[in-house]
Structure formats: structure tokens, C-alpha cells
Amino acid sequence: MCIATKQQQHYNSKKNGVMVAAAAPSGLRPMLPLILYGYAFNTALYFSVKALLPQTGWDFTVDPTHCPEDNPSCTRTDLAAFQIVALVNLTYLGLLGVYSYYISNKGVKHGIPNTPQGRIFGHLLEADYVNVGIVVFQGWDFVASIFFEEHCTMIMMTHHLLAFICGLYSLEYGLVPHYAVYFGGVSEFSSIFLAISTLFQYHPPSALVPADSPKLPLLNKIELFCQAMFVLTFFIFRIVGWVHTCYKFLNDCRYVIHNKLVDRYQPGSGWFLWYLITISLLLSMLQIFWFWQIVEKIKSML
């Protein structure tokens, strides 16, 4: 079965009597306008939401720990706007990932050969769109988090940077479409519920609306539903599914490296494949660490 890589057979040439692939054209360059539009959209959305939130009539006063010492009763529409931008980006990634991985007739299951070569070197347009979303969200979030003490932590900033590099060079080399859709898309489905839960953490329903408001019970139910769905989807997609997919990814990498297929299909990308192997192991440990924190949080609430 042939592989729909970006460099087709007519790119091949002979070197010392051996057929090798010439350098593939950049997969990043055609996507640069879309990436720049994404940064502009996120920035415009943030400032628009920040400006419009006070018009809702809701109270965005937060816990004093999120306020300056000289203004313990501050309102933080900036935090709410930040979370809404994150929610929009994560919804795009999560829904696109689930659609491409489990539903689409042109997605992961049918768009590329179900072989190590196909999963590592195949080309899938939906994977490109996932990687664009990763580059936009992780890059924007990294820069924006510098201005938010709540988000500017070593773990999260490192995570943003590593994920940004993964998305950027996955586009450039057109590598690992199968795994880009899962790790960058499907796994973010759980983060949709996390973004909403975090929004309520900063702005609890009881603070957003008066105690006698008919909206309060509904907001409380939405918060509880999102918390439960986050735990459930995190376990499904970021523990069970992640471990299974990571194991398959490492096996595919071992196969293509052992059979010296990297230079045949994507010359010059060997360093990035090793980077992905390393990051997959590090992020796997991070998923387990995060899940342990979730379990500890649940135990403390019981």
C-alpha cells in the first residue's frame, strides 16, 4: 500500500546507487497565514470578552488570593476572558480530534494506511489542522500566561513550550499524523471541561449571581457536571487511551528507525522523531502526575 506522504515518488533520486528521498517541501509555510490569523483571533477575542463581561451584570469579584494586596475585592474579568479564550481553543482541538480519530471517513482510520509507515509518515489534512490549533493555542497561551501569575508556573510554561515545538515541527516535516490527532486533539477533549471548571474556580456561581437568582442552581449543576466529566474523560483519554496510544507510537518508531525508513520518507527529520519519543515519555509521566493530583483532590473532598 502506498503512503500519501508530501514528497511523492517523483521526489526520489539516486545517491551512490541508492534510492533516497529528496528533502520534502515545508508543510509549515502554507499554514503560516492560518496560524497568524489564529493569533489575531485569540487576541481580539480576549480583549472583546474582557470589555463585554462587565456588561453582563454578573459579579466577577474573585477570591482575595487572586487580587493585589491593596485591592482585596478586585474584579478579574481578565482571568475570565483568558479562560474563555482557552475554552474556545480547546473545544476546537478536542472536537476536531474526536471527529477525525473516531468518526470521519477521511480521518485517522481511513485517511492514512494503518501501518507504521502510514501512521508516522502519512499525510492527513485533519492532522495539519490539529497541529495549526496546537501552534496557535500553545504559542498564544505561553505568551499570555506571562501576564497571569495563576498560569505562569514552571510545569505549565514548560508544557506549552514543548507542545508548541511538537505542533510546529509536525507541520514542518508532516510527521506522525495519526498520533498528532490523538495527543494534540483527542486528549484535549477532557480539557474542555477543565477550562469550564477552572472558570468556576475563579468565579464561583455563588459569587457570579445573587443567592436568590434562579440561575444559581443551574450554574451549580453545570459546574458539578464539568468536574465529573473532566475526571471521567481525563481517565479515558489521558490515562487509558494515552498509555495505549503511546505504546503503539513507540513501537512504530522502533520499527521505522530499525528499518532505516526515516531518511527514505522524511530526510532530515530523524532528530525530531527522537524528540517526539522523549516528549511522549515525559508527557506520559505528567499525565500520571496530574491524575494522581486529581485523585488526591477527590479524596480530600470526601
Side-chain angles (χ1 to χ4, degrees):
M1 182 177 290
C2 65
I3 300 175
T5 53
K6 289 185 178 181
Q7 77 288 348
Q8 301 297 336
Q9 294 299 319
H10 64 271
Y11 283 105
N12 291 343
S13 61
K14 279 193 174 183
K15 182 178 180 181
N16 297 326
V18 179
M19 293 296 292
V20 296
S26 170
L28 173 62
R29 192 172 296 113
M31 294 295 180
L32 281 177
L34 198 57
I35 291 171
L36 295 176
Y37 291 146
Y39 289 140
F41 171 81
N42 280 353
T43 304
L45 179 63
Y46 169 79
F47 285 108
S48 298
V49 170
K50 186 174 183 293
L52 291 173
L53 283 178
Q55 311 303 319
T56 63
W58 289 12
D59 185 1
F60 286 92
T61 301
V62 294
D63 187 274
T65 56
H66 300 294
C67 293
E69 293 183 1
D70 59 348
N71 185 17
S73 299
C74 70
T75 58
R76 292 293 304 274
T77 53
D78 59 331
L79 266 179
F82 181 95
Q83 283 303 125
I84 290 172
V85 173
L87 174 60
V88 169
N89 283 253
L90 292 168
T91 300
Y92 165 81
L93 285 169
L95 293 182
L96 177 58
V98 169
Y99 173 75
S100 177
Y101 201 83
Y102 296 109
I103 302 172
S104 174
N105 289 329
K106 297 180 180 180
V108 167
K109 301 300 183 183
H110 306 286
I112 52 177
N114 189 27
T115 62
Q117 298 96 313
R119 291 188 291 267
I120 298 294
F121 302 113
H123 178 245
L124 187 66
L125 186 60
E126 291 172 359
D128 287 346
Y129 289 139
V130 167
N131 283 317
V132 166
I134 293 171
V135 172
V136 170
F137 173 57
Q138 300 294 350
W140 189 91
D141 206 288
F142 179 88
V143 175
S145 294
I146 296 173
F147 303 97
F148 292 86
E149 183 180 353
E150 294 83 1
H151 297 279
C152 193
T153 64
M154 181 61 69
I155 288 181
M156 289 310 301
M157 297 298 276
T158 302
H159 175 267
H160 291 323
L161 181 60
L162 295 179
F164 174 83
I165 294 172
C166 286
L168 191 73
Y169 282 99
S170 290
L171 275 176
E172 174 66 19
Y173 293 123
L175 284 182
V176 295
H178 178 103
Y179 300 105
V181 170
Y182 188 89
F183 292 131
V186 175
S187 69
E188 294 292 13
F189 188 79
S190 65
S191 299
I192 298 172
F193 303 103
L194 176 61
I196 300 173
S197 299
T198 304
L199 181 61
F200 282 127
Q201 178 185 335
Y202 294 138
H203 306 283
S206 58
L208 285 172
V209 296
D212 59 350
S213 172
K215 297 177 181 178
L216 183 58
L218 176 61
L219 291 176
N220 284 328
K221 289 178 182 177
I222 293 174
E223 180 183 21
L224 182 61
F225 172 78
C226 288
Q227 289 172 341
M229 285 299 295
F230 169 62
V231 175
L232 178 63
T233 55
F234 190 100
F235 180 72
I236 292 173
F237 295 127
R238 288 184 175 263
I239 298 298
V240 178
W242 186 287
V243 171
H244 170 75
T245 306
C246 187
Y247 176 77
K248 185 164 67 172
F249 168 67
L250 294 175
N251 273 340
D252 283 351
C253 289
R254 180 185 60 82
Y255 177 87
V256 300
I257 291 172
H258 176 75
N259 290 281
K260 298 180 173 58
L261 298 179
V262 178
D263 286 335
R264 176 181 173 186
Y265 288 108
Q266 281 290 7
S269 64
W271 72 271
F272 181 58
L273 192 60
W274 280 107
Y275 172 85
L276 291 175
I277 292 171
T278 304
I279 294 305
S280 70
L281 295 174
L282 292 176
L283 291 181
S284 295
M285 291 186 286
L286 186 59
Q287 307 306 320
I288 295 172
F289 171 73
W290 279 337
F291 189 69
W292 173 79
Q293 286 190 317
I294 293 170
V295 171
E296 291 296 312
K297 179 72 173 179
I298 294 174
K299 287 168 62 177
S300 68
M301 297 169 61
L302 297 178

